[in-house]
Amino acid sequence: MNPTASQEIHAHLQHNDLSLAVRRMLDLSLEIEDENLMRESIQWSKLYHASIDNREAQPGEPFFKMGSDLLSKTRQAEASIKKADIRLLEVNHISKTYPKGNFSLHTISMSVKGGDILGIVGENGHGKTTLLRCIAGQLALDQGKLEFKLLNRPDHYDIRHHVAFIPQRIPRWYGRLKDNLHFSAAIYGINGKWNELMVDFMLERFNLSRYQDLTWNQISSGYRTRFEIARILLQRPSLLILDEPLANLDINAQQTILTDFRYMAKSIAHPMGVLLSSQQLHEVEKIADSVLLIKNGHCVYEVVKGKASQQSFALEIETPIDRQELLEILGDHMQIQFNGGFYTITSEQHAVQEIISKLISKKVPITYFRDITYSTKRYF
Amino acid sequence: MKLNRPLCPGFLKEWDRDLLLNKPDTWSTRIHLVVYYCLLFMIALTFICFVVPNDPREYSSVYLWVIFVSLISFVGFIVWLIFLLRFNVFKRFGNQGNLNAIKTFVFFFLCTGTMVLCPFIPPIVESMRANMKYSGQEIASDINAINSRILLLEHDSIPLRWHKDTIFVVNDLRQKQIVVDNNDYPIDATGDRILPGFKVLDTAEFNRKVQSIDSLQKLNDSIYLFFECPNYQFVSTYIPSYRYDEEPSMAGLWTSVKLYREVLQHYKKTDLSKTRKELMDLLLKYAPEKSQYSYYDSDNKSYESRISRKYSLPPVNNRLYNIVSRKYRWDNHTIRSSIEVFYYVTLVLTMFVFIYRRTSLRTFFLSLLAAILVTIFTSLAGAFFDIRDLSLNVLLLIYYAIFCILAFQQSRKTRNVFSGIALNFFVLGTPFIPLIIVAMAYDIIRKIYLMKNEVVPYFENESRNYVYSEIAGFVLLLLLMTFVFRHLYRKWFAQPEQ
């Protein structure tokens, strides 16, 4: 049986994963939709960030006391959360050719449900952005059909209102960061005190409170991405499309954001379908339920977690020894490709563990290795 | 919300925050800030206009103020546009109520109107200052006193006999086959006068002239004597007398006839030196120093010209004109043009702001370019094919119909720039359609009269009907905004691109 969110938060606190515990608590309070609980969670988050700002090794006793109080409240409320199971989008045989240019996106079909994370990977210029923009209603389709299951006979405005899309190049905004968040919430019907609460919530959730009075020019591109995600999430979207959201983020922020997407998508009461494109294959594959590899406008490979099967095993390693030596060590039935400092070893007979054992037994110095048997990396 | 705006009171900050959290579409128009800051500016401007030196007798420099304030208003307008760029509910696909389009349009109209109103402040204040310093009664009595004293002083050198005309009245000039020249004297085919000393008028013209003649004597049913009093108004305001009807105090201004009856008819000798001194005092009141300007005199042998030179009257007349033109700047005869300037500038700017907020930047600027091209094409067509009046109005209606059809014929799949441009023109043309139709109707009626070889009559209600059509145009715009334009823009803007 999967642990509940409260149990996870308790575990995070026990193992000193305080940042994650705070973020999960904020998510849980939002899911419960209890105003007081949300306010307390925001306060708890502020306590945590204050301790970070003060460079304390660990937050003080009030933080942990408040955490346990909150946990006792959420445990009771958690039981009342009703699970929502929704279908969001059916993409049926869509294709797109630009009138001026020689690029075509060939027929693609897919389905997105609430809670699904769909990663779209591929090299630059092969159609990831085109696919996402088609789904977001920004580009006209040549063929095929998009069915938004939550909308009843929608017009284009309804679709653009319904789909939350974050483009690769975030559009510039003007004025203060916080005003923009208030405005975004208000135009989606979040008014009055609830607007204030939700904006405070998002500022804390994405660690933007310190930047709330700053403008576009005063914050880094990474924080602009965070702001954009916070702004979009204020709309409580059921379908979120992100084009290269990791491009401007540092490695820690990438991990944090991806983990957050996973938690938010898997929300029990408000599951969200997430489509994201990225060059960070491994990071995306780690959180995505399925991954599409787009090459020259074709969907060449689709990995669905738990349903993956391969004819051969593949391992990626980094080692100072040369290819000939490796072939001698590994013997027959192995193919070795050298690609930009990495070797990709494929074998139809030997599993990855066996290959690694062989390398270690021969004392081959390995500085990096990754099992890419089920990864789209094989097709790059 | 933290506001660092200067002179922003607490209530406005609260209001601003309340609008941001609850009414983002209203908040994004910035109406509360625009109206507040414009009111502050107007108060400051009114105060400045009241304290700067301004002599109502001198030539008005208000046009400089109008230019200066217009430039400030224009800068304010640009700043407002920049603020409007920041937040747009429509372009962010936010919640749109049924009345959103009309509400934002009305707010834009109010914002623009407040800014357009600012340049009217200096002339309004100037008029107020002139009214406070000189009442209509004072000016009328001074002018009467000046003219009376000149008549007393110049009694022996001015014409006292009234001009006489003998009028022969006929029922219809055409029936009698009488042709008259510009002075109503009957002439023959060579242009020679055929009844020396007689003027011939038909009954309609006779009745009209009777209204304005100084005196008349009936000799029989067909022959009348018209008497015209010589001009004794040496000093006047140059303002047409009908405009005095709006101002009862100015109605006391004496005409030449009244001056004749009051001063000359029962003339009594007076103390000339005393009268001259009184006259000089009155003239000095309006022209205290010698004029730096020279005045053109077209008829320097007439008694009026002689008297004008003798008493240096041109500067007095000019200064009286300066005062009175300030005082009556806003009367019923001139205010309509001011209202029209205000209304059309506000309306056109508002419509540009509205379409700027509802279309893509590219389509907006292409619409401006297309407007220039359409104007060039229309001008060329007008020059080559003599398109004006009725044909021009028909052409404008055809344009409107084409834009209307193109705006409705939006592609189902993609956003098309031509549909966007047509939609923008459809919106821009709407308030002028009733005006064009009324103008067309009058053109057609006039053409019918001309085709029948009949004299085109004066249409008493024409001016009023144009006003009604302007109001109807605005109402039509608001109605279409709610029921048509809102849907068309919503559909057009959200469509995917190719």
Side-chain angles (χ1 to χ4, degrees):
Chain A
M1 192 178 152
N2 288 335
T4 63
S6 297
Q7 287 167 336
E8 280 181 22
I9 295 165
H10 184 69
H12 293 324
L13 281 172
Q14 276 190 326
H15 295 100
N16 235 12
D17 290 333
L18 301 183
S19 171
L20 191 55
V22 167
R23 293 189 337 253
R24 292 288 288 137
M25 179 58 82
L26 285 166
D27 290 343
L28 184 58
S29 67
L30 180 64
E31 193 149 13
I32 293 166
E33 286 187 332
D34 182 315
E35 199 178 315
N36 291 329
L37 202 58
M38 282 177 73
R39 286 189 200 286
E40 286 176 44
S41 300
I42 292 168
Q43 280 309 311
W44 195 48
S45 173
K46 283 186 195 264
L47 267 181
Y48 171 70
H49 286 125
S51 73
I52 301 276
D53 292 343
N54 296 334
R55 301 184 180 198
E56 293 168 10
Q58 209 170 5
E61 187 54 32
F63 172 80
F64 290 100
K65 189 175 177 311
M66 194 172 179
S68 66
D69 285 350
L70 275 169
L71 270 177
S72 63
K73 287 177 188 169
T74 53
R75 275 192 198 106
Q76 294 161 13
E78 212 173 0
S80 63
I81 300 173
K82 286 182 184 160
K83 189 177 177 186
D85 190 14
I86 46 170
R87 289 174 69 206
L88 296 172
L89 175 66
E90 289 288 338
V91 179
N92 297 319
H93 305 97
I94 63 165
S95 65
K96 167 79 190 166
T97 302
Y98 287 103
K100 290 174 189 169
N102 50 11
F103 177 77
S104 293
L105 180 71
H106 299 280
T107 311
I108 289 180
S109 295
M110 66 174 90
S111 167
V112 182
K113 285 190 295 184
D116 280 355
I117 297 181
L118 179 70
I120 295 164
V121 296
E123 293 172 45
N124 289 335
H126 280 238
K128 299 190 297 292
T129 301
T130 301
L131 174 62
L132 292 183
R133 289 188 69 197
C134 283
I135 295 172
Q138 291 192 352
L139 288 179
L141 304 174
D142 292 344
Q143 282 179 354
K145 200 174 158 191
L146 296 170
E147 281 182 61
F148 295 90
K149 297 292 182 184
L150 296 183
L151 300 179
N152 184 24
R153 298 181 59 150
D155 64 6
H156 288 293
Y157 193 94
D158 292 330
I159 292 170
R160 305 281 286 264
H161 177 83
H162 173 70
V163 178
F165 178 67
I166 300 182
Q168 189 171 356
R169 189 185 287 177
I170 294 167
R172 189 191 171 98
W173 41 269
Y174 299 89
R176 291 190 322 142
L177 186 149
K178 196 178 182 185
D179 294 343
N180 278 274
L181 291 180
H182 281 303
F183 181 71
S184 289
I187 65 173
Y188 276 79
I190 300 168
N191 300 127
K193 285 186 177 174
W194 190 243
N195 183 307
E196 289 183 82
L197 182 63
M198 283 300 292
V199 168
D200 284 346
F201 176 87
M202 286 298 169
L203 287 170
E204 274 304 310
R205 181 66 186 76
F206 290 94
N207 199 13
L208 288 164
S209 294
R210 274 183 293 173
Y211 306 96
Q212 61 181 357
D213 291 324
L214 302 186
T215 59
W216 168 273
N217 288 326
Q218 293 168 320
I219 60 172
S220 68
S221 53
Y223 275 94
R224 286 175 197 159
T225 305
R226 288 186 196 206
F227 159 81
E228 193 64 15
I229 294 168
R231 189 182 73 74
I232 285 285
L233 290 175
L234 273 171
Q235 302 168 9
R236 305 296 301 272
S238 47
L239 184 61
L240 176 61
I241 299 176
L242 307 106
D243 190 10
E244 301 278 4
L246 307 179
N248 295 317
L249 299 175
D250 60 53
I251 187 72
N252 284 335
Q254 285 179 11
Q255 297 294 341
T256 307
I257 290 283
L258 287 173
T259 313
D260 289 345
F261 282 147
R262 177 139 198 94
Y263 283 130
M264 283 185 273
K266 303 292 177 194
S267 157
I268 299 169
H270 303 288
M272 187 168 65
V274 179
L275 275 78
L276 66 96
S277 70
S278 180
Q279 305 286 347
Q280 319 287 331
L281 295 187
H282 302 313
E283 279 72 17
V284 169
E285 284 172 354
K286 217 160 48 181
I287 64 143
D289 297 296
S290 51
V291 178
L292 293 184
L293 173 63
I294 310 267
K295 203 160 194 172
N296 292 322
H298 291 275
C299 176
V300 294
Y301 185 59
E302 183 174 0
V303 184
V304 180
K305 223 173 222 177
K307 293 179 186 171
S309 65
Q310 278 298 341
Q311 298 289 317
S312 60
F313 300 98
L315 174 72
E316 188 177 66
I317 66 164
E318 189 180 351
T319 176
I321 66 171
D322 64 21
R323 188 198 306 232
Q324 196 55 41
E325 273 183 278
L326 263 181
L327 275 171
E328 283 168 13
I329 291 164
L330 293 171
D332 295 340
H333 313 298
M334 303 271 185
Q335 282 136 27
I336 300 177
Q337 276 185 309
F338 184 67
N339 180 18
F342 296 102
Y343 291 102
T344 305
I345 305 166
T346 52
S347 170
E348 289 180 4
Q349 292 174 2
H350 300 285
V352 167
Q353 284 83 352
E354 285 175 54
I355 301 169
I356 293 171
S357 301
K358 219 171 204 177
L359 292 170
I360 290 170
S361 66
K362 299 285 181 185
K363 297 196 176 354
V364 173
I366 301 172
T367 51
Y368 160 84
F369 73 92
R370 182 181 282 269
D371 179 357
I372 57 167
T373 304
Y374 301 108
S375 170
T376 50
K377 182 71 191 288
R378 295 178 64 164
Y379 299 93
F380 272 82
Chain B
M1 189 168 68
K2 192 194 283 180
L3 283 176
N4 295 321
R5 299 189 180 100
L7 302 170
C8 190
F11 82 89
L12 195 63
K13 288 179 186 173
E14 282 300 314
W15 194 16
D16 186 74
R17 183 173 176 74
D18 188 53
L19 288 175
L20 171 61
L21 298 184
N22 297 300
K23 308 257 180 218
D25 46 354
T26 306
W27 179 81
S28 63
T29 64
R30 308 288 176 140
I31 184 169
H32 53 300
L33 297 174
V34 172
V35 171
Y36 170 74
Y37 280 108
C38 278
L39 282 177
L40 274 191
F41 178 65
M42 283 181 193
I43 291 167
L45 186 63
T46 306
F47 176 75
I48 291 167
C49 289
F50 259 111
V51 296
V52 291
N54 183 307
D55 187 343
R57 296 172 299 184
E58 295 300 327
Y59 286 108
S60 173
S61 60
V62 77
Y63 66 94
L64 289 174
W65 277 92
V66 170
I67 292 169
F68 169 67
V69 178
S70 298
L71 287 174
I72 292 177
S73 287
F74 183 70
V75 170
F77 182 74
I78 298 296
V79 170
W80 179 55
L81 276 189
I82 291 167
F83 271 93
L84 285 182
L85 267 178
R86 296 181 170 188
F87 300 96
N88 190 336
V89 178
F90 176 76
K91 287 189 177 175
R92 294 269 285 273
F93 305 103
N95 290 344
Q96 292 270 303
N98 290 337
L99 296 176
N100 181 276
I102 190 172
K103 192 168 82 174
T104 48
F105 182 83
V106 170
F107 286 162
F108 289 153
F109 190 84
L110 290 174
C111 289
T112 314
T114 319
M115 283 183 264
V116 173
L117 198 59
C118 292
F120 287 86
I121 298 286
I124 289 172
V125 173
E126 200 184 59
S127 297
M128 287 167 73
R129 290 181 75 174
N131 277 315
M132 285 159 67
K133 195 156 185 186
Y134 297 98
S135 70
Q137 206 172 7
E138 181 184 359
I139 290 171
S141 79
D142 283 350
I143 291 173
N144 293 341
I146 290 169
N147 286 328
S148 305
R149 276 155 185 74
I150 290 172
L151 287 179
L152 288 172
L153 292 169
E154 298 294 327
H155 176 264
D156 298 335
S157 65
I158 55 173
L160 298 174
R161 290 180 67 85
W162 288 29
H163 176 76
K164 186 177 76 177
D165 268 329
T166 311
I167 304 296
F168 183 63
V169 183
V170 295
N171 284 335
D172 192 325
L173 291 176
R174 283 177 302 179
Q175 283 173 2
K176 294 276 181 189
Q177 297 184 325
I178 295 172
V179 180
V180 294
D181 66 7
N182 290 338
N183 295 315
D184 300 324
Y185 290 107
I187 53 173
D188 61 15
T190 61
D192 291 336
R193 290 178 179 172
I194 50 179
L195 282 170
F198 275 77
K199 280 186 175 180
V200 179
L201 299 179
D202 63 11
T203 45
E205 185 65 8
F206 174 77
N207 289 332
R208 196 181 67 76
K209 285 206 169 170
V210 163
Q211 304 295 321
S212 60
I213 199 69
D214 292 330
S215 180
L216 110 170
Q217 187 182 355
K218 182 177 177 180
L219 300 181
N220 61 42
D221 285 346
S222 299
I223 301 176
Y224 294 81
L225 290 178
F226 277 8
F227 293 96
E228 194 178 352
C229 178
N231 177 28
Y232 298 135
Q233 288 182 306
F234 306 106
V235 167
S236 72
T237 59
Y238 302 134
I239 303 281
S241 60
Y242 63 84
R243 286 181 58 187
Y244 294 144
D245 299 344
E246 313 295 332
E247 176 61 38
S249 57
M250 288 297 281
L253 202 64
W254 290 351
T255 60
S256 293
V257 176
K258 178 83 172 163
L259 281 164
Y260 177 84
R261 291 197 176 127
E262 292 291 329
V263 183
L264 300 176
Q265 197 169 19
H266 308 289
Y267 173 73
K268 284 179 194 166
K269 278 214 164 190
T270 54
D271 181 351
L272 290 181
S273 60
K274 187 185 165 203
T275 307
R276 186 169 286 111
K277 189 181 177 307
E278 285 170 354
L279 175 65
M280 288 305 149
D281 287 347
L282 281 167
L283 293 178
L284 280 173
K285 179 178 175 184
Y286 292 100
E289 71 280 340
K290 206 171 176 189
S291 172
Q292 54 186 315
Y293 306 103
S294 57
Y295 295 91
Y296 173 70
D297 190 353
S298 62
D299 183 15
N300 59 8
K301 285 182 182 163
S302 68
Y303 69 97
E304 289 130 312
S305 182
R306 180 179 55 76
I307 288 169
S308 180
R309 277 197 307 275
K310 183 174 178 184
Y311 298 103
S312 297
L313 296 183
V316 177
N317 277 322
N318 268 331
R319 281 161 185 189
L320 280 166
Y321 172 76
N322 290 341
I323 295 167
V324 174
S325 61
R326 279 173 166 91
K327 283 172 67 67
Y328 301 116
R329 188 177 277 151
W330 309 103
D331 69 12
N332 286 348
H333 298 279
T334 51
I335 199 165
R336 189 177 155 192
S337 57
S338 300
I339 290 173
E340 279 177 344
V341 168
F342 167 78
Y343 170 71
Y344 281 112
V345 171
T346 305
L347 180 69
V348 170
L349 287 176
T350 304
M351 286 197 294
F352 275 118
V353 171
F354 183 81
I355 63 170
Y356 172 71
R357 298 269 288 177
R358 301 255 156 183
T359 50
S360 64
L361 212 58
R362 180 167 167 252
T363 310
F364 176 77
F365 285 108
L366 283 175
S367 299
L368 295 184
L369 182 66
I372 294 167
L373 292 176
V374 168
T375 310
I376 292 170
F377 170 76
T378 311
S379 309
L380 282 176
F384 278 102
F385 305 109
D386 193 24
I387 295 174
R388 57 201 162 99
D389 300 336
L390 183 60
S391 47
L392 180 65
N393 287 328
V394 170
L395 184 65
L396 292 177
L397 273 189
I398 292 169
Y399 281 160
Y400 184 73
I402 292 169
F403 294 140
C404 174
I405 291 164
L406 286 176
F408 276 103
Q409 292 282 320
Q410 289 184 23
S411 154
R412 285 189 178 180
K413 286 187 80 175
T414 54
R415 189 162 84 188
N416 182 306
V417 72
F418 294 108
S419 307
I421 293 170
L423 178 54
N424 290 342
F425 282 175
F426 184 26
V427 174
L428 286 171
T430 296
F432 305 100
I433 292 304
L435 200 61
I436 291 171
I437 291 170
V438 171
M440 274 175 68
Y442 277 108
D443 280 340
I444 290 168
I445 294 168
R446 286 196 175 94
K447 279 205 184 312
I448 291 169
Y449 273 103
L450 290 173
M451 279 161 66
K452 288 182 185 170
N453 272 337
E454 288 179 16
V455 178
V456 180
Y458 171 74
F459 300 110
E460 212 169 277
N461 294 331
E462 185 174 359
S463 173
R464 200 177 57 189
N465 287 340
Y466 278 119
V467 174
Y468 288 156
S469 70
E470 284 168 327
I471 295 168
F474 191 73
V475 173
L476 180 69
L477 179 70
L478 294 184
L479 286 175
L480 291 185
M481 194 76 74
T482 312
F483 298 110
V484 179
F485 299 148
R486 187 177 77 87
H487 297 289
L488 289 177
Y489 274 119
R490 179 188 161 102
K491 187 181 168 192
W492 180 83
F493 187 74
Q495 274 180 326
E497 291 168 43
Q498 190 58 50

